[in-house]
Amino acid sequence: MKILKFFILFFFFISCNKGGFLTSVNSPDNKILLDFKIVDGRLLYSINKEDKAVISESSLGLILKNDIDLTKGFKIKNQKQTSFNDNWNPLFGEYKTIKNNYNQLTLELNNNKTEINIEFRIYNDGVAFRYILPKQKSIQNYDLMDEITEFNLSSKDSAWWIPGFSYRRYEFLYANTGIDDISKKVYSDLVEEISYDSLGIDAAHTPLTIKKNNGILISIHEANLVDYSSMTLSPKGKGSLEVELYPWSDGIKVKSDNGIKSSWRTIHIAENSSGLLESNLILNLNDDPDEKDDFSWVKPGKYMGVWWEMIGTNESTWWPSKYHGANTKKVFNYIDFASKHGFNGLLVEGWNKGWYPGWCCSGNGIPFSFTESLEDFDFKKISLYSSKKNISIVGHHETGGQIENYENQLEDAFKLYNQMGVKYIKTGYVNDVSRNIKRTDQNGNIIREWHHGQYMINHFHKVIELASKYKLSIITHEPIKDTGLSRTFPNFISREGAKGQEFNGFSSNGVNHATDLPFTRLLSGPMDYTPGIFQLNNFRYDKPGGKIDKNATVPSTLAKELALYVVYYSPMQMAADLPKHYKKHLRAFDFIKNVPVNWETKIILNSKISEYLTIARKDIDSDNWYVGGITDEKKRNFKINLDFLDESKDYTAKIYKDTSETHWDKNPMEYSIESIKVNKDSKLDIYLAPGGGFAIEIIKN
Ligand code: NOJ
Ligand code: CA
């Protein structure tokens, strides 16, 4: 039974004169302080941690249609301070138990005839706030024209960021610059040419990781994004960032008949890079599933796929051809291999009608069918065979970003998968053009929306709700950002939402991207990165895809590919390479077979943003621990202290690591495996090659 502690602490005005007002709230451990004030009718907040500024005085407010200006003219009506302290257990995750402990300030504000509430929650590891505009008589139209929330930092603070309002959604490498330099121009100079992509403004996506000049690290993001629009952060100069929401094509940011509830704006505050990785703020700001909803059918797992042979090795096609990958015979072979090695699922891409060589990426392609199989894919036979072999097909819905076509078929498509025993669907929204999601308006005109605006937020919500009706778990590629909704809908099991392994298939992420992800994108939630490529060079065929770079390498080492199963959390983990490549390294493959996907706890053993990271995780179902460590292009020596092990137990550690000869570019598939006895007093010396890593399985004897 859950024990809720919800105390009303006090209920009074601290200072109130001439429209002025000031109040302060501490975090439960008293280290973080939120100050809120009204000065000349304007709403201002600031955040400090101990004696250091986190956010200096910054404005709050909304602007609605019909000149309803909710940025000034405010008076306080009521304030209430409450406290909450509870533990909860996710269905599966990185931790068995999560503590949710905060002090809350609820403000009821008056602006002429308009009432609006702002809620702040102050945690030991950050602050969150949101706007709630209740339905009220004085407002006919709730259309939101702008949110002017500011985050005032310092020009000396720097950020790791990817550009918003740009063609490829979240699929970009990270730039690291001063926060005033967040712009398409700077990004084009440093990372990738995007300055031609001129729709929208200069802004960064969230989570946005910031290193403050005073040493504090913060991640600004949002939680519980429902029926609102995604927030980006736009630099206004002198260290100031302002919320910029993705607009609808008519310029309105959020449409509503019913009042407005923004997502939570979150500022996760850490003293060091490891602290950045330890927060549950985003999940804590979401709700448990509705009591009537049973999600016990959602199961984390591991899957293989008829996938890398299209994306990486280039030996098969999604579309009908003599190289078609998703044919019954091949799918049977994959099922045999996946089943023999204890996997739960097999992704099959290119099973349905609609694929052709030019399918990608304009958003205007021939629409896909989600119910009709290609001729050489015998769905019934495959369904029977896979269930006999304890493998669930991971279905595939590439929408090409054609939402209406998908929504029209959604229920039939889910029904079919449900009948065929499919338990997971990988969805995809490749449409690599800015503001190019087609929608038909009331007059029958085709208009185009952003991938991140309210239209798409609502689409993803619709998909996840309907999927739960058919007991389907969704892994979304080209998704909307993760804002912790998987707490309420555990069947939103994983998602991409960054440059994943696929880019090492058709181009390259470079050797340093893998150590950026944990400190940026992964702060929002699990990622379907699809690790586990073993054939890291000489893997590309030049048929049927034509001319390709045969010298390409996946910029990693085999031992690092193993480490990623521990370092990157996802309840659905793919073993992305082909059976024929795994067969060459079956002893190393054991690690992928054994590594769990559901954890009791994690410990960050070392880290430096963007440079290196080692995580230890304890299996939820046994006494075993798993450790993964990765480095950027630099080689490193780590001393790994096993003092997290149980005092009274002995263990055997199986260590998979680079050798002195390994190098991500020159010699990536060289590794060693050794087994040694360890206990709580053990300290391991581990060498990580340039671009490399290591993985350890620690089994209780
Ligand atoms: C992009 C996805 O990220 C990738 O995994 C998939 O194979 C292609 N789209 C085709 O759907
Ligand atoms: Ca993708």
Side-chain angles (χ1 to χ4, degrees):
M1 258 301 273
K2 262 192 177 177
I3 304 170
L4 293 188
K5 292 184 196 153
F6 197 79
F7 304 122
I8 295 193
L9 292 182
F10 35 92
F11 188 96
F12 62 97
F13 305 150
I14 292 188
S15 120
C16 194
N17 51 33
K18 285 204 297 179
F21 173 81
L22 166 69
T23 189
S24 305
V25 186
N26 282 312
S27 55
D29 67 359
N30 287 323
K31 289 189 178 165
I32 295 177
L33 179 72
L34 168 94
D35 288 308
F36 171 83
K37 53 180 162 173
I38 303 179
V39 177
D40 296 332
R42 292 191 183 265
L43 310 175
L44 298 165
Y45 78 100
S46 56
I47 301 170
N48 287 280
K49 175 148 190 195
E50 297 179 308
D51 54 347
K52 292 180 179 166
V54 178
I55 305 285
S56 47
E57 209 160 270
S58 298
S59 302
L60 297 165
L62 304 175
I63 298 174
L64 302 191
K65 209 169 181 170
N66 303 329
D67 298 323
I68 303 183
D69 184 348
L70 303 178
T71 64
K72 56 186 185 199
F74 280 103
K75 288 203 179 93
I76 189 87
K77 194 175 152 206
N78 267 327
Q79 72 142 343
K80 189 164 67 173
Q81 296 199 19
T82 52
S83 196
F84 185 85
N85 191 1
D86 184 27
N87 287 332
W88 61 281
N89 300 321
L91 204 53
F92 46 80
E94 294 189 273
Y95 297 95
K96 183 175 178 187
T97 303
I98 293 177
K99 191 176 182 60
N100 189 8
N101 182 202
Y102 58 84
N103 293 330
Q104 174 156 335
L105 170 68
T106 306
L107 298 158
E108 291 177 27
L109 302 161
N110 237 322
N111 168 299
N112 299 321
K113 288 185 219 119
T114 310
E115 314 228 313
I116 181 168
N117 303 339
I118 300 181
E119 292 175 351
F120 286 94
R121 288 186 184 171
I122 299 89
Y123 294 79
N124 291 342
D125 61 357
V127 174
F129 59 88
R130 68 174 169 186
Y131 302 94
I132 299 178
L133 182 71
K135 192 168 167 125
Q136 50 203 284
K137 283 208 185 93
S138 62
I139 305 180
Q140 303 329 319
N141 183 323
Y142 292 86
D143 288 352
L144 180 67
M145 303 312 288
D146 211 358
E147 176 183 328
I148 60 94
T149 307
E150 280 178 346
F151 299 92
N152 282 330
L153 302 147
S154 143
S155 281
K156 293 184 183 142
D157 300 344
S158 63
W160 284 262
W161 58 278
I162 53 172
F165 297 95
S166 301
Y167 74 107
R168 215 175 40 222
R169 306 159 301 275
Y170 303 107
E171 295 177 0
F172 289 103
L173 296 177
Y174 284 84
N176 181 207
T177 70
I179 55 172
D180 294 336
D181 288 332
I182 293 170
S183 73
K184 288 185 183 174
K185 161 94 180 61
V186 169
Y187 193 81
S188 301
D189 290 345
L190 295 179
V191 187
E192 179 187 338
E193 175 54 47
I194 54 163
S195 49
Y196 65 88
D197 192 6
S198 56
L199 276 178
I201 55 156
D202 285 328
H205 276 302
T206 74
L208 180 64
T209 304
I210 294 165
K211 182 162 192 204
K212 291 188 57 74
N213 189 39
N214 59 17
I216 288 182
L217 290 162
I218 61 176
S219 164
I220 304 180
H221 189 44
E222 57 186 315
N224 195 243
L225 174 54
V226 178
D227 200 17
Y228 200 73
S229 173
S230 303
M231 115 177 165
T232 64
L233 296 169
S234 178
K236 299 294 168 199
K238 298 193 179 146
S240 177
L241 296 172
E242 191 180 309
V243 167
E244 193 69 35
L245 300 172
Y246 275 93
W248 289 79
S249 46
D250 59 9
I252 296 168
K253 304 282 172 55
V254 177
K255 302 189 182 199
S256 166
D257 299 326
N258 241 338
I260 283 183
K261 196 193 259 183
S262 74
S263 39
W264 291 95
R265 279 71 194 87
T266 61
I267 304 123
H268 168 210
I269 304 164
E271 275 159 31
N272 52 45
S273 52
S274 298
L276 264 186
L277 310 176
E278 284 165 341
S279 177
N280 288 300
L281 190 62
I282 302 297
L283 288 173
N284 274 335
L285 287 158
N286 282 273
D287 299 321
D288 278 334
D290 202 296
E291 282 197 352
K292 69 176 184 351
D293 294 333
D294 169 26
F295 282 100
S296 58
W297 50 270
V298 180
K299 301 285 179 216
K302 281 177 275 184
Y303 69 104
M304 296 188 70
V306 182
W307 178 71
W308 187 244
E309 55 189 75
M310 286 85 90
I311 281 267
T313 67
N314 193 43
E315 68 204 83
S316 302
T317 64
W318 282 280
W319 51 90
S321 77
K322 72 171 175 177
Y323 302 104
H324 181 222
N327 64 74
T328 308
K329 184 159 174 263
K330 183 174 279 179
V331 172
F332 269 48
N333 290 339
Y334 267 94
I335 290 174
D336 287 343
F337 185 84
S339 170
K340 178 171 167 200
H341 294 286
F343 283 81
N344 310 84
L346 177 72
L347 168 69
V348 187
E349 295 201 2
W351 67 278
N352 54 328
K353 289 194 176 158
W355 292 96
Y356 64 104
W359 73 272
C360 189
C361 313
S362 67
N364 296 323
I366 301 168
F368 288 95
S369 162
F370 300 103
T371 52
E372 295 164 292
S373 310
L374 289 173
E375 262 153 42
D376 55 352
F377 180 87
D378 188 333
F379 206 164
K380 271 214 173 110
K381 241 170 132 178
I382 287 169
S383 153
L384 284 173
Y385 192 65
S386 61
S387 78
K388 218 167 73 193
K389 294 274 186 167
N390 274 327
I391 293 288
S392 163
I393 295 300
V394 177
H396 186 230
H397 287 167
E398 173 55 64
T399 67
Q402 304 210 38
I403 303 307
E404 290 177 347
N405 175 55
Y406 189 36
E407 290 194 354
N408 289 338
Q409 299 180 59
L410 204 56
E411 187 131 22
D412 288 343
F414 286 177
K415 262 187 205 157
L416 171 72
Y417 270 158
N418 182 274
Q419 280 159 14
M420 293 292 182
V422 170
K423 297 192 175 64
Y424 309 92
I425 307 179
K426 172 177 166 181
T427 57
Y429 295 83
V430 180
N431 180 337
D432 288 357
V433 184
S434 279
R435 209 181 69 199
N436 194 38
I437 301 285
K438 284 181 285 175
R439 176 174 74 85
T440 315
D441 72 5
Q442 307 99 307
N443 308 320
N445 300 320
I446 303 280
I447 40 184
R448 288 164 198 272
E449 305 293 354
W450 287 100
H451 183 93
H452 311 276
Q454 190 185 12
Y455 176 66
M456 287 299 277
I457 304 289
N458 291 348
H459 166 73
F460 286 110
H461 210 87
K462 201 180 286 178
V463 170
I464 213 67
E465 281 191 319
L466 195 66
S468 71
K469 177 172 159 197
Y470 288 98
K471 295 200 169 21
L472 292 161
S473 297
I474 302 290
I475 306 162
T476 305
H477 277 229
E478 300 78 52
I480 199 62
K481 66 172 91 166
D482 195 343
T483 60
L485 282 175
S486 60
R487 177 168 173 191
T488 318
F489 296 99
N491 66 319
F492 208 159
I493 197 162
S494 196
R495 74 187 80 199
E496 187 193 42
K499 266 193 158 188
Q501 184 84 277
E502 65 176 20
F503 277 84
N504 293 324
F506 41 74
S507 60
S508 174
N509 284 330
V511 64
N512 294 324
H513 181 59
T515 36
D516 282 342
L517 285 174
F519 303 96
T520 51
R521 153 69 182 85
L522 281 146
L523 299 181
S524 66
M527 176 173 177
D528 188 41
Y529 174 85
T530 71
I533 298 302
F534 276 16
Q535 185 65 43
L536 295 157
N537 55 26
N538 291 320
F539 59 87
R540 282 194 180 153
Y541 290 62
D542 51 19
K543 275 208 174 65
K547 234 177 140 226
I548 48 159
D549 174 12
K550 287 206 103 180
N551 295 322
T553 57
V554 170
S556 185
T557 69
L558 198 145
K560 184 184 198 170
E561 289 296 298
L562 299 181
L564 294 178
Y565 289 88
V566 184
V567 176
Y568 294 178
Y569 168 66
S570 177
M572 278 305 277
Q573 283 283 24
M574 186 179 198
D577 212 337
L578 311 178
K580 65 184 177 195
H581 294 152
Y582 289 132
K583 280 179 189 160
K584 291 198 220 159
H585 302 276
L586 281 174
R587 285 185 63 227
F589 191 51
D590 277 346
F591 185 83
I592 301 181
K593 288 161 64 173
N594 295 349
V595 68
V597 283
N598 188 14
W599 304 99
E600 184 169 312
T601 193
K602 76 172 172 194
I603 302 172
I604 313 300
L605 298 183
N606 62 31
S607 74
K608 184 153 187 218
I609 297 191
S610 206
E611 296 184 23
Y612 60 85
L613 169 62
T614 304
I615 300 185
R617 296 185 192 264
K618 185 179 172 297
D619 180 18
I620 202 161
D621 296 318
S622 72
D623 291 322
N624 303 341
W625 284 81
Y626 292 77
V627 183
I630 58 173
T631 178
D632 60 5
E633 65 199 327
K634 290 208 186 88
K635 62 182 180 186
R636 296 176 202 274
N637 286 295
F638 286 163
K639 198 169 247 350
I640 302 297
N641 190 337
L642 300 186
D643 60 358
F644 52 84
L645 294 177
D646 197 314
E647 195 148 33
S648 58
K649 297 187 174 95
D650 288 319
Y651 301 80
T652 303
K654 202 167 176 192
I655 306 167
Y656 303 74
K657 58 181 180 180
D658 302 326
T659 75
S660 57
E661 303 299 306
T662 313
H663 186 282
W664 68 271
D665 190 28
K666 300 183 194 84
N667 189 19
M669 278 123 65
E670 175 103 6
Y671 58 94
S672 72
I673 304 175
E674 63 172 322
S675 283
I676 55 170
K677 301 275 174 240
V678 294
N679 61 32
K680 192 177 187 310
D681 300 322
S682 306
K683 289 172 186 53
L684 308 176
D685 288 310
I686 308 234
Y687 169 73
L688 291 81
F694 69 95
I696 315 177
E697 184 180 21
I698 307 175
I699 308 274
K700 197 200 86 179
N701 290 338

